[in-house]
Amino acid sequence: MQQHWYTGPLASFDTETTGVDVESDRIVSAALVVQLAPGAPVRTTTWLADPGVPIPDGARAVHGITDERVRAHGRPARAVVAEVARALAAEARAGHPVVVMNAPYDLTLLDRELRRHHGLTLADGLEAAGLLVLDPRVLDKHVDRYRKGRRTLTDLCAHYGVELAGAHDAAADATAALALTRRIGARYPAALGGLTPAELHLRQATWHAAQARGLQSWFDRSGVTERVDLSWPLRPARCGCGRRLEPDHGCEAAA
């Protein structure tokens, strides 16, 4: 009997941060959860980082992590982000797809932290290991495009009947996102089950771009000035001129 990706080994990654700006905010906590099969025990690794900047009241109200806690029990962000990248690289080398809910947020933040503390990109930190990402937000929007309502992790878990105990804790969110992704795959085997994780990774980039264009069109019709990034699972870095940071784009701001 053929094994589908949603019945095999999966990892799941999540962060809690100082805010929602991937270019300037910092990682406060992170978790990596690994499960070899549905119903099997999970292996959880967690990190607590001292971001080196004050944690704003708004962020603290969401995840409950205080400046006092990270100063007393956290480790330097430089060490934490390097360990996180190595842990993700190990899962990639093991061939485990990595679930990341709203991947362009967490993975871009990690990329920017690696650049900030080590002068490395996320690709550098993964040491040439190919990360295969499963984003339940993109998968759900693809298989149930016209369903109304929000699609946060809390909303998706409620819709698919997945327990989310302790929302906005990195380990709890990663565990729920992993179970959610298995549930989406099992509910839509015809649309998703026949694809390999590598095929899904490539298709999600296309699906996300189409979904983002649809949202941008709605913003434009509604007079909302916000711009939607089409990139998935990682937003490209931009230099001071606002353009994508390419080696040959010739902007003096990148020098």
Side-chain angles (χ1 to χ4, degrees), residues 188-237:
Y188 296 97
L192 303 174
L195 298 170
T196 67
E199 291 169 334
L200 269 176
H201 182 95
L202 293 175
R203 295 198 186 191
Q204 283 171 103
T206 301
W207 297 340
H208 175 271
Q211 294 160 8
R213 289 189 191 98
L215 179 59
Q216 187 66 68
S217 295
W218 185 86
F219 281 165
D220 293 343
R221 293 194 303 271
S222 304
V224 177
T225 59
E226 182 178 346
R227 307 310 297 172
V228 182
D229 198 311
L230 306 185
S231 304
W232 183 96
L234 181 70
R235 297 176 190 170

Side-chain angles (χ1 to χ4, degrees), residues 17-210:
T17 66
T18 60
V20 297
D21 187 337
V22 296
E23 301 297 341
S24 60
D25 280 307
R26 312 295 179 91
I27 292 174
V28 175
S29 68
L32 182 65
V33 173
V34 181
Q35 185 186 48
L36 298 182
V42 298
R43 183 181 81 243
T44 303
T45 305
T46 61
W47 294 268
L48 182 66
D50 182 346
V53 298
I55 300 172
D57 291 343
R60 187 170 63 250
V62 172
H63 51 59
I65 301 174
T66 64
D67 292 329
E68 292 75 18
R69 180 179 168 191
V70 297
R71 289 169 187 158
H73 304 290
R75 297 169 55 225
R78 176 182 173 86
V80 167
V81 297
E83 284 187 14
V84 168
R86 286 196 294 269
L88 288 173
E91 295 307 314
R93 287 194 298 270
H96 297 166
V98 179
V99 172
V100 190
M101 172 70 186
N102 193 17
Y105 174 74
D106 293 88
L107 294 183
T108 303
L109 238 165
L110 177 59
D111 174 83
R112 304 309 192 256
E113 285 277 58
L114 286 165
R115 291 170 185 266
R116 182 177 296 120
H117 293 289
H118 297 278
L120 300 173
T121 66
L122 179 56
D124 295 330
L126 292 174
E127 303 167 351
L131 196 65
L132 299 177
V133 178
L134 299 172
D135 187 335
R137 188 167 182 263
V138 174
L139 295 175
D140 172 69
K141 280 189 173 184
H142 175 68
V143 296
D144 199 354
R145 178 179 176 184
Y146 297 108
R147 189 178 78 248
K148 296 186 181 299
R150 289 159 48 88
R151 304 197 193 217
T152 66
L153 179 61
T154 299
D155 297 317
L156 292 182
C157 285
H159 178 74
Y160 285 94
V162 172
E163 181 181 5
L164 173 55
H168 302 298
D169 170 85
D173 286 357
T175 301
L178 190 153
L180 170 65
T181 302
R182 290 197 190 279
R183 188 69 57 86
I184 294 172
R187 184 173 294 188
Y188 296 97
L192 303 174
L195 298 170
T196 67
E199 291 169 334
L200 269 176
H201 182 95
L202 293 175
R203 295 198 186 191
Q204 283 171 103
T206 301
W207 297 340
H208 175 271

